[in-house]
Amino acid sequence: MGDTTGAYWAHQQPEDPLSQKLRASNRALLALIEACCPEGDADVEYHAATLSIRLGLSRGKVLQLCEIGLMLRRMPRVAELARETEALGLSHLNIIANGTYAISDEQIHAVENHVIGLLTPTRPRQAMIGPRKLNTKIGDIVAEYDDRARGDGTIPQITTAESVTIAALPDGKYSQIIATLRNDRAHVVKQALDAAVTTLNNKRRAELAEQARESEASAPEKAPESAAESEGKDAPRATLADALIALIRQQTTADVVLNVYRSPDAGEAWLDGAGWLGALATAEWMREVTHLRLSGDGAAESYRPTDAQVARVRGRDGTCRFPGCEAPAHQCDLDHIKPYNHDAPEEGGPTDTENLHCLCRRHHNLKTHGLYNVTAYSDGTELWTSVDGTTAATSVPSGPMAGFGRQTFDQRLTRKTKARQKNYIDWLLSFSVSTIFVMDEEDEEDWDDEEDQADHDEPQN
């Protein structure tokens, strides 16, 4: 982990009045939790009902406070850290409590040591670990000691079989297709559909331009616009549904390049877009590899980074580099930390991996508009500072290539042990068959249709 002298979370800055208020709130929350914590032999319903009346909270919220209190009682070092740092709020405490309660008393001390490591910053002004990442990390820690105790939603509630379900919707005009696939295989499908959309759109623009050229050649005086203008004109855009049908009918193709990261000394691989793979999935992907690349820092003369640079930066960053943001790297833009000078490239920020980082569209816009400044350091950390100078936080890379090549023997042994155990679990779960189900009409009424849409701003640079 390195020397943590002088390290602290970004929201622990003593001179920041908002941070002071947050820490005061966390301090009051800890006092409330300790006051609500029951004895082990206390009656659950009586205790919950009494506190619900006194606090004006629901039964669920009261029990949440009680369970956090019991967790802190089992893990006194975590409780001490929470009191000393005042950095842990309700969300983080609840994740720890929910993720560790099934660990036995004999193992809780060892688990607590790992949790303390997660909650200890390694850099000044380091952004606090996000809830999603904390939840996953707690699950990984717990699984090292007892897979049955993992509570982050992957075990035991794991889906053990892939399936494709086709169901007619009540209006009779549409049907719904739901595919349940392993993470890495689902990512392949999504990338193929995205690539097919691009291919179809390029084809439609080319056809529109060709029509304009033919029109201009047959009646130059009546041609409303040139072929060049038509090529730049927006043609009807293809959808993911169009891409799916075109691929099935073999009316288009999809060229997909996926980056799989793996240490030279073997172990589990990391797939860009799907995350860490199990041992069996890793073996499958190793058989599919067509090109090998020893990744390293590099530079390009153009504005757009090379494929090798994109792979390197995504593998290093793992997520958006704005402090606390957990957007996956494959959903992010690659941004020049020091802006690229289009008029005089030799004078602007270079297109090299040390001057590139991953930013989600929201935080890309934030930086482009000059609301935050970024300083990058050679170890991969970044210092983000608001334009008014009132807020600063440090971002640490979290991808599989963050700090690549540097590990202790203890870390290596732990990783190899975990890979072997995961291999056994994956083997047990591999006895399943992918199936296709077609719903009968009488099942239609039991089908719930849910649709989520996400809107994103266009990039600003």
Side-chain angles (χ1 to χ4, degrees):
M1 184 177 296
D3 183 11
T4 60
T5 303
Y8 57 91
W9 297 117
H11 61 293
Q12 287 181 282
Q13 300 181 61
E15 69 280 2
D16 186 340
L18 285 179
S19 294
Q20 292 174 6
K21 293 182 184 299
L22 176 67
R23 293 196 304 277
S25 174
N26 290 342
R27 184 168 60 248
L29 173 65
L30 283 172
L32 176 62
I33 289 171
E34 291 175 355
C36 293
C37 186
E39 295 299 327
D41 59 354
D43 184 86
V44 173
E45 296 304 329
Y46 177 79
H47 189 77
T50 301
L51 290 182
S52 181
I53 294 173
R54 296 177 64 186
L55 299 177
L57 298 176
S58 67
R59 177 181 181 276
K61 290 295 183 182
V62 166
L63 290 178
Q64 184 183 73
L65 296 176
C66 294
E67 289 163 0
I68 294 174
L70 293 171
M71 176 273 294
L72 294 175
R73 185 177 294 168
R74 291 186 76 202
M75 294 196 283
R77 290 181 59 210
V78 172
E80 181 182 1
L81 182 144
R83 284 191 293 268
E84 289 182 353
T85 65
E86 301 174 348
L88 302 179
L90 181 62
S91 175
H92 285 69
L93 291 170
N94 185 54
I95 288 171
I96 299 169
N98 184 64
T100 60
Y101 71 81
I103 284 291
S104 67
D105 292 338
E106 292 75 18
Q107 296 172 322
I108 194 65
H109 178 71
V111 169
E112 183 180 24
N113 290 334
H114 291 292
V115 174
I116 291 292
L118 278 180
L119 302 177
T120 302
T122 60
R123 301 288 190 279
R125 297 180 297 270
Q126 184 173 335
M128 186 66 175
I129 182 172
R132 185 190 309 167
K133 185 179 297 184
L134 178 64
N135 189 45
T136 301
K137 292 288 187 182
I138 292 289
D140 290 341
I141 290 169
V142 167
E144 290 184 16
Y145 294 90
D146 188 350
D147 283 321
R148 300 168 301 174
R150 184 165 192 161
D152 63 346
T154 58
I155 295 176
Q157 297 86 6
I158 190 168
T159 299
T160 60
E162 296 180 325
S163 65
V164 176
T165 303
I166 305 174
L169 296 179
D171 60 9
K173 296 180 179 180
Y174 291 91
S175 291
Q176 192 172 55
I177 301 174
I178 297 180
T180 301
L181 303 174
R182 203 173 62 194
N183 257 359
D184 53 317
R185 288 157 65 90
H187 182 63
V188 171
V189 173
K190 180 60 166 60
Q191 292 298 102
L193 291 176
D194 287 342
V197 165
T198 300
T199 301
L200 290 174
N201 285 333
N202 290 340
K203 181 180 178 182
R204 291 181 180 183
R205 282 192 291 267
E207 291 173 348
L208 187 63
E210 180 62 27
Q211 292 172 6
R213 281 191 291 268
E214 293 176 355
S215 177
E216 186 177 5
S218 60
E221 69 284 357
K222 294 183 180 180
E225 57 188 357
S226 67
E229 290 172 336
S230 295
E231 192 168 1
K233 183 178 179 181
D234 286 339
R237 291 185 58 81
T239 65
L240 291 176
D242 295 331
L244 176 61
I245 297 300
L247 285 172
I248 293 174
R249 291 176 174 174
Q250 298 183 349
Q251 296 171 338
T252 189
T253 59
D255 295 326
V256 177
V257 177
L258 299 172
N259 291 307
V260 181
Y261 302 80
R262 195 184 192 194
S263 172
D265 63 352
E268 294 181 355
W270 191 87
L271 176 63
D272 184 20
W276 289 105
L277 306 175
L280 293 181
T282 294
E284 290 178 17
W285 278 99
M286 289 301 100
R287 291 193 292 269
E288 298 293 330
V289 169
T290 58
H291 295 79
L292 293 177
R293 178 190 293 132
L294 294 178
S295 184
D297 290 317
E301 296 182 359
S302 63
Y303 170 69
R304 294 191 178 278
T306 65
D307 291 341
Q309 288 179 307
V310 172
R312 172 73 171 182
V313 174
R314 286 181 175 176
R316 179 198 66 203
D317 290 351
T319 63
C320 170
R321 289 305 304 276
F322 188 83
C325 184
E326 297 181 293
H330 75 281
Q331 296 178 1
C332 294
D333 304 326
L334 251 64
D335 169 65
H336 289 72
I337 298 173
K338 182 180 179 182
Y340 184 86
N341 189 327
H342 291 271
D343 297 326
E346 68 280 358
E347 298 178 7
T351 304
D352 64 44
T353 50
E354 294 183 348
N355 190 50
L356 294 169
H357 60 174
C358 294
L359 289 181
C360 69
R361 191 61 52 80
R362 178 180 291 107
H363 293 127
H364 191 170
N365 288 339
L366 196 70
K367 175 178 174 290
T368 299
H369 293 320
L371 300 177
Y372 266 85
N373 298 314
V374 186
T375 302
Y377 297 96
S378 58
D379 63 353
T381 60
E382 294 181 359
L383 176 62
W384 285 72
T385 309
S386 61
V387 67
D388 59 7
T390 60
T391 304
T394 301
S395 168
V396 179
S398 60
M401 300 192 71
F404 180 73
R406 298 192 298 270
Q407 64 175 335
T408 66
F409 279 96
D410 287 343
Q411 290 171 332
R412 183 174 183 271
L413 180 60
T414 298
R415 185 165 52 80
K416 290 178 66 177
T417 301
K418 181 181 176 183
R420 177 168 294 181
Q421 294 171 343
K422 186 71 161 58
N423 182 44
Y424 176 70
I425 296 172
D426 287 346
W427 176 77
L428 288 177
L429 298 177
S430 66
F431 298 99
S432 61
V433 179
S434 297
T435 55
I436 297 180
F437 300 96
V438 179
M439 274 191 158
D440 295 328
E441 293 183 358
E442 57 265 26
D443 296 328
E444 292 175 5
E445 60 186 18
D446 297 326
W447 191 260
D448 291 325
D449 178 23
E450 295 183 359
E451 181 176 356
D452 294 325
Q453 296 180 345
D455 295 328
H456 301 281
D457 296 334
E458 292 299 318
Q460 300 298 306
N461 67 341

